């Protein structure tokens, strides 16, 4: 984090400074500098760090203040005064709000010199992959800050912003939401120069209350942009395309449609990735071998290329960066090719109907002599009233895609199994297991050389660990 005095930080978050036994004297709070990393996880605190104690759904961060102090915290932000604390504490009404206020001010100060460019990324699917691609491209241009994992909510996004330093040139902010208004909150913290919207789908539809609420929430990315900003929008998604009417920003289109400004053509999908021709608005084009498995990830690559083009990154540098990325992220189309001839595609970190269908289509495209395609599928969570219908739809689609073997794990995905077995033309190809352990015991004996196996579910279903076990077993 940038240098702030203890007094400045207290005023920024609207708190009250309480000094510990061995802390600075009150009169020196305006000269005492704090600039350590900020975190809400006591395990991540390092000497000089700032620990923000936030109440949680299942625990209370205030219980972990002693652990943060033991790890070297110089300051804690709390919602109540803690006794017998030897370091300063800033007491605030709401620690998550305080985190956001601090992030907003840090971004504002760094932006004041005009060198920082902020990129905001949202969408029902593809945010983390696109964020990683943008980061890879921009790291070659200057100091770049981007989230780790999927730090994209009201806590994770400001924690990322607080990693900015005075010399940071780019901030890549992934912005997710579980209800309307959350993206607006994050946009107003970071004030993106470039706002990217990837797609609008049924991910989290149960929380939002339907696709229209999802559309309304994702549109928040572009409604606050000003005329000097750029909205990078997916031409292929008609819901995203409609956002052009909701923003004052300039529009840069990306997509597979030949009318898009940044587009891909001549796609060739293989088990080692997708080859395509990338074309920029200037008319320049180049062939790209994109190693991230799945044609659907080409759209994410186009979004990243559109951001880079807006920031005047040359085509050659864009291509080099895209070709250097070999996986989307841990547990996202992560390929483990074993010495026993079994290939595991572990894509079980997130699952929505759109991403499930994209993963299954990728599996279906992988064909050749001796290849048997196997799908191990779990629940798509957070679909609410749409859950039964969407699991049923995916189950029937698997049959139509011609995937030879399906294993369904967990009660939440039972409708998927029933739909597949009822679709007809199959005879025992779909097998249901209540637990991942039961599935593993059968899979360990059944998988054979030449099999390509997709493991796909929402994070809550835990199948990513089953994918890891299978990867270790057959690697």
């Amino acid at each position: 984090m940038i240098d702030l005095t203890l007094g400045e930080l207290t005023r920024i978050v609207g708190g009250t400074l309480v000094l510990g036994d061995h802390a600075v004297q009150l009169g020196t709070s305006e000269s005492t500098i704090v600039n350590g990393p900020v975190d809400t996880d006591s395990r991540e605190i390092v000497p000089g760090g700032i620990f923000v104690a936030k109440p949680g759904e299942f625990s209370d961060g205030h219980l972990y203040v002693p652990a943060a102090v033991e790890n070297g915290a110089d300051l804690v932000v709390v919602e109540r005064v803690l006794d017998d604390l030897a370091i300063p504490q800033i007491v605030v009404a709401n620690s998550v709000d305080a985190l956001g206020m601090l992030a907003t001010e840090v971004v504002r100060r760094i932006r004041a010199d005009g060198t920082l460019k902020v990129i905001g990324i949202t969408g029902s699917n593809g945010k983390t992959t696109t964020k990683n691609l943008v980061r890879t491209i921009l790291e070659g241009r200057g100091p770049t800050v981007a989230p780790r994992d999927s730090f994209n909510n009201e806590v994770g996004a400001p924690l990322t912003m607080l990693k900015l330093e005075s010399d940071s040139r780019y901030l890549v902010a992934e912005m997710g939401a579980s209800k309307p208004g959350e993206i607006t909150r994050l946009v107003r913290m970071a004030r993106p120069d470039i706002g990217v919207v990837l797609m609008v789908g049924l991910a989290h539809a149960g929380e939002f209350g339907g696709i229209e609420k999802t559309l309304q929430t994702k549109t928040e990315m572009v409604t606050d942009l000003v005329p000097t900003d750029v909205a990078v929008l997916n031409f292929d998604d008609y819901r995203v395309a409609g956002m052009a009417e909701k923003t004052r920003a300039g529009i840069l289109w990306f997509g597979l449609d030949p009318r898009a400004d940044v587009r891909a053509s001549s796609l060739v999908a293989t088990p080692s990735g997708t080859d395509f021709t990338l074309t920029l608005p200037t008319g320049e084009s180049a062939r790209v071998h994109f190693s991230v498995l799945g044609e659907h990830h080409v759209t994410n690559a186009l979004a990243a290329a559109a951001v880079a083009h807006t920031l005047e990154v040359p085509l050659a540098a864009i291509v080099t960066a895209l070709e250097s990325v070999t996986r989307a992220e841990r547990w996202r189309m992560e390929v483990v090719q074993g010495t026993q001839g079994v290939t595991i595609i572990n894509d079980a970190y997130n699952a929505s109907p759109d991403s499930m269908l994209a993963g299954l289509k990728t599996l279906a495209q992988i064909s050749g002599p001796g290849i048997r395609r196997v799908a191990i599928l779990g629940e798509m969570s957070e679909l609410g009233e749409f859950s039964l219908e969407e699991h049923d739809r995916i189950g029937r689609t698997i049959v139509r895609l011609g995937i030879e073997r399906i294993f369904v794990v967990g009660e939440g995905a039972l409708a998927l199994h029933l739909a597949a077995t009822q679709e007809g033309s199959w005879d025992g190809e779909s097998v249901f297991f209540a637990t991942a352990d039961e599935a593993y015991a059968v899979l360990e004996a059944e998988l054979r050389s030449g099999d390509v196996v997709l493991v796909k579910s929402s994070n809550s279903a835990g199948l990513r660990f089953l994918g890891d076990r299978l990867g270790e077993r057959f690697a």
Side-chain angles (χ1 to χ4, degrees), residues 145-173:
V145 172
R148 73 173 191 260
D149 302 325
S150 293
F151 272 38
N152 60 27
N153 62 9
E154 62 180 359
V155 174
L159 285 176
T160 298
M161 297 174 203
L162 291 171
K163 294 185 183 299
L164 288 166
E165 301 287 352
S166 58
D167 65 343
S168 297
R169 187 171 175 187
Y170 302 107
L171 169 63
V172 185

Side-chain angles (χ1 to χ4, degrees), residues 243-358:
M243 295 179 189
E245 300 175 359
K246 306 291 186 181
T247 184
R248 295 172 293 163
I251 307 297
L252 186 66
W253 299 105
F254 68 91
L256 302 182
D257 192 291
R259 292 170 291 177
D261 300 309
V262 178
R263 58 192 179 274
S265 58
S266 303
L267 278 68
V268 179
T270 72
S272 64
T274 306
D275 294 329
F276 66 93
T277 297
L278 170 63
T279 302
L280 298 181
T282 58
E284 297 175 277
S285 65
R287 198 69 180 159
V288 179
H289 176 68
F290 191 48
S291 296
V292 178
L293 193 61
E295 277 191 7
H296 56 291
H297 281 303
V298 171
T299 298
N300 301 326
L302 292 175
V307 169
H309 175 73
T310 303
L311 295 171
E312 301 181 343
V313 179
L315 175 61
I318 295 173
V319 172
T320 297
L322 291 178
E323 292 190 332
S324 73
V325 177
T326 58
R327 70 176 186 184
E329 178 67 274
R330 182 81 166 98
W331 298 310
R332 291 177 173 88
M333 297 303 283
E334 182 177 15
V335 180
V336 179
Q337 293 179 312
T339 56
Q340 298 183 42
V342 176
T343 299
I344 307 295
I345 306 170
N346 195 345
D347 192 31
Y349 190 84
N350 278 317
S352 67
D354 295 305
S355 68
M356 182 74 83
L357 183 58

Side-chain angles (χ1 to χ4, degrees), residues 115-127:
T115 59
L116 180 70
K117 292 294 184 182
V118 179
I119 302 96
I121 300 171
T122 196
S124 298
N125 299 109
K127 293 185 295 297

Side-chain angles (χ1 to χ4, degrees), residues 111 116-120 175 187-188 190-196 220-233 244 246-253 306-307 310-311:
R111 288 186 68 109
L116 180 70
K117 292 294 184 182
V118 179
I119 302 96
M175 297 181 178
V187 164
R188 291 177 180 175
R191 296 292 177 188
D193 302 282
I194 301 171
V196 182
E220 293 172 12
M221 172 59 76
V222 301
T223 51
D224 272 10
L225 298 180
V226 301
T228 54
D229 297 332
V230 177
V232 174
L233 302 179
K246 306 291 186 181
T247 184
R248 295 172 293 163
I251 307 297
L252 186 66
W253 299 105
V307 169
T310 303
L311 295 171

Side-chain angles (χ1 to χ4, degrees), residues 6 9-11 13-18 75-80 88-92:
L6 193 54
L9 200 156
T10 302
R11 288 190 293 275
V13 301
T16 301
L17 180 61
V18 178
L75 172 68
V76 295
V77 178
V78 294
E79 293 184 0
R80 59 180 184 270
Q89 50 188 310
I90 298 175
V91 185
V92 297

